[in-house]
Amino acid sequence: MGDLVQAELRKTTTTTLWWALLIPTVLVALGGGLLSGLLGQSIVEVFSSSEAEQLSDALGVTPDQWKFSLLGIGRTINLATMFPLIFGAMAVAGEVGTRTITTTFLTAPSRVHAMAAKLMVYALWGAIYGLAIIGFVALGIVLTSNSGQMPDAGGWAMLALVCVLSSILMTMFGVGLGALIPNSAGVVVLLIMYFLVIENALQLGLRISGVPETAVGFLPNGSVDGLTGSVAVDLFLADAGVVPEEGVYWLRVVAGAGGAQAWWLSGLIFFAWVAAAFGGGWARMTQKDIT
Amino acid sequence: MHDGSGLIAVQNLTKQFGSVTAVQNLSFTVSPGSVTGFLGPNGAGKTTTLRMLLGLVKPTSGTATINGRPFHQLGQPGRVVGAVLEAQGFHPNRTARNHLRVYAAAIGVPDAQADQVLGLVGLGTAADRNVGGFSLGMKQRMAVATALLGDPQVLVLDEPANGLDPEGIAWLRNFLQSFARMGRTVLISSHLLAEVEQTVDQVVIVSRGQTMYYGPLDHLRQQQQRRVFVQPSDVGALATALREAGVQALEQLPDGRLAVSGVDAKQVADTALRAGVSIYGIQEEQADLEQIFFRLTSGQFAGHAPAPYQQQQGGWA
């Protein structure tokens, strides 16, 4: 098994895709971090003006302590993990496209071994992308806001954890779907369309049609977004003092956790999607006649 | 685990793709120490058979084993069997050396083996070039190099001459023969007998998914009866004289010649002399393997073609 893992690792490091996708990942993460920091900082400055302070004092809320930049972190992670998702999708679909999958199957004790080796290597890559994302998001925020806008060390650790987890799961989801639909261009377009357009339209449709808000949190993007978004909102609320009930709802929507369950439950829901995609892809790849 | 015999055994193998029967009840064995040609026209089921042998396609029924085991029970298949298939590809942006290192790792052989097989196929100087820039012939050599990575006991090649230049074909021929002489097994498919005639010792001939012949190439040559084409002054008189001499296999050709089977030219000429018939031309037909192959594989000759190969008793090791 170690031999196959090394072979899969070499497959990923001997072509350019890993860094070709890491560059936009880092740019999105850094850009998202900078934007979150800037927006968070300026919102706090608006609230800190004397008139606004009088108003918030009267309402009994403390907006100048609100870490708005946290909400942007969740959104940024969700957008940046699109790239490890694509990277994962190419794992099997790319090999079917270049027909190296034949040699892969001819040199592995079984297809199950080959797929298991891919699973491990792409989980590792998911983690690497995740660490890069949280690192550059943090860099962007540090550059644009003061320490009052940032979570404490425990908060950062929690964000790093869910970011890496989200990135690994997104990569795995890609691997599964790429095996289920082994057509590079087709699966990449489908995934981008789904995560950026289709599900957002679906979420909007569900909200308009009056379906309970929580339904959104069971969709693939709704759940993976909830994994990071819920943590961002939790961290926000922990330091926010008094926040009105209606405000919490909008905070969750802004953070990308609208309708989502608690972070760990959202993670489990998305894990179920990943298991379904991976199981389907696994079944397809272990049964398929390679012709 | 496998028995290390180097034996390929295909038994009652059948594959149906939907309503299409690609391979029907195919049986043959391939022994180590020889190069066996796997011949048949396009669409005869050769590629499907080889893919079933290599575990890439699941048989509808029957078995295909290497060293007594189906492919997925070989343990480390890359060390037992190397394959050159049309369906194999390369990542265009990966270098030749890196491609081989990927699979050297998978098979569990040292990285140095990558450079060794590159040298063996004559691509040593192209090791750091991306395979995407390779010619068809170079890619075929790469495929052979990949197949040899695990120093396998058995080589299976599907139409490997495609894309190879004459020099490459000559190289492959010598290589396969020396490989077989080391006591290893080579199975090579082709739709052209002439292409592999000089390479192979044994042949398996398939047509429409069935085995038409399997055995030594020399036996196939001997199986073919010699024919003599003769242009006599009087066809009727010569035919009568030959029948009286006990030769029954006569055929009058449209061009006025007489085709006589089972005798040599001398016998025909002597008979003609005794009958007082002049001979304007006489020609002895050599055993033309391509023609035999054509008769075995072409539906047009259904009346002449022998029945599909019947398995001999005790023929299986």
Side-chain angles (χ1 to χ4, degrees), chain A residues 155-247:
Chain A
W156 276 121
M158 193 61 204
L159 282 169
L161 175 75
V162 290
C163 176
V164 169
L165 206 57
S166 157
S167 180
I168 292 175
L169 288 172
M170 283 288 262
T171 312
M172 293 290 97
F173 190 74
V175 174
L177 222 66
L180 200 58
I181 307 165
N183 174 311
S184 312
V187 74
V188 167
V189 169
L190 178 76
L191 284 171
I192 293 175
M193 285 295 289
Y194 182 80
F195 276 87
L196 295 186
V197 183
I198 298 173
E199 191 179 308
N200 284 325
L202 201 62
Q203 291 189 5
L204 190 68
L206 285 174
R207 287 187 169 117
I208 289 171
S209 63
V211 174
E213 181 72 12
T214 47
V216 170
F218 286 89
L219 295 172
N221 199 28
S223 53
V224 74
D225 215 356
L227 171 61
T228 47
S230 290
V231 167
V233 173
D234 289 349
L235 288 172
F236 180 96
L237 292 176
D239 287 338
V242 186
V243 180
E245 191 73 14
E246 183 73 358

Side-chain angles (χ1 to χ4, degrees), chain A residues 45-58:
Chain A
E45 274 159 19
V46 168
F47 278 126
S48 303
S49 64
S50 54
E51 304 94 84
E53 220 157 54
Q54 283 172 357
L55 182 66
S56 50
D57 284 350

Side-chain angles (χ1 to χ4, degrees), chain B residues 32-43:
Chain B
S34 66
V35 180
T36 300
F38 188 39
L39 303 166
N42 291 328

Side-chain angles (χ1 to χ4, degrees), chain A residues 10-11 14 99 289-290, chain B residues 15 56 89 94 101 111:
Chain A
R10 283 183 177 182
K11 270 181 210 165
T14 52
R99 306 217 280 185
D289 282 343
I290 306 293
Chain B
K15 177 66 185 183
L56 295 169
R94 194 176 279 137
R101 283 192 175 172
D111 288 354

Side-chain angles (χ1 to χ4, degrees), chain B residues 180-232:
Chain B
R181 273 200 294 274
M182 290 189 282
R184 305 188 194 204
T185 313
V186 180
L187 180 61
I188 173 172
S189 86
S190 178
H191 60 279
L192 293 171
L193 178 61
E195 195 177 74
V196 294
E197 193 182 331
Q198 291 170 272
T199 317
V200 304
D201 315 302
Q202 308 263 335
V203 285
V204 177
I205 297 177
V206 293
S207 180
R208 283 155 286 152
Q210 294 177 295
T211 315
M212 305 308 286
Y213 173 84
Y214 110 65
L217 198 55
D218 290 339
H219 286 189
L220 190 63
R221 282 200 187 93
Q222 286 157 12
Q223 212 180 58
Q224 172 71 351
Q225 285 191 325
R226 271 189 297 187
R227 290 211 295 179
V228 176
F229 295 98
V230 58
Q231 185 146 34

Side-chain angles (χ1 to χ4, degrees), chain A residues 1-17 90 94-111 113 286-291, chain B residues 15 17 51 54-58 71-78 81 83 85-95 98-109 111 146:
Chain A
M1 199 66 223
D3 289 341
L4 285 183
V5 170
Q6 195 189 3
E8 288 299 330
L9 200 58
R10 283 183 177 182
K11 270 181 210 165
T12 55
T13 54
T14 52
T15 54
T16 53
L17 189 67
M90 293 300 286
E95 276 222 72
V96 171
T98 56
R99 306 217 280 185
T100 50
I101 195 80
T102 310
T103 314
T104 296
F105 286 164
L106 286 176
T107 51
S110 75
R111 296 188 189 185
H113 284 82
T286 48
Q287 294 303 315
K288 187 178 167 29
D289 282 343
I290 306 293
T291 54
Chain B
K15 177 66 185 183
F17 292 109
R51 287 188 183 147
L54 295 166
L56 295 169
V57 168
K58 197 170 277 191
F71 185 85
H72 65 268
Q73 288 178 15
L74 288 175
Q76 184 48 272
V81 54
L85 300 177
E86 282 173 287
Q88 262 168 311
F90 306 95
H91 193 293
N93 298 324
R94 194 176 279 137
T95 66
N98 280 337
H99 170 84
L100 292 167
R101 283 192 175 172
V102 164
Y103 293 106
I107 298 170
V109 295
D111 288 354
T146 311

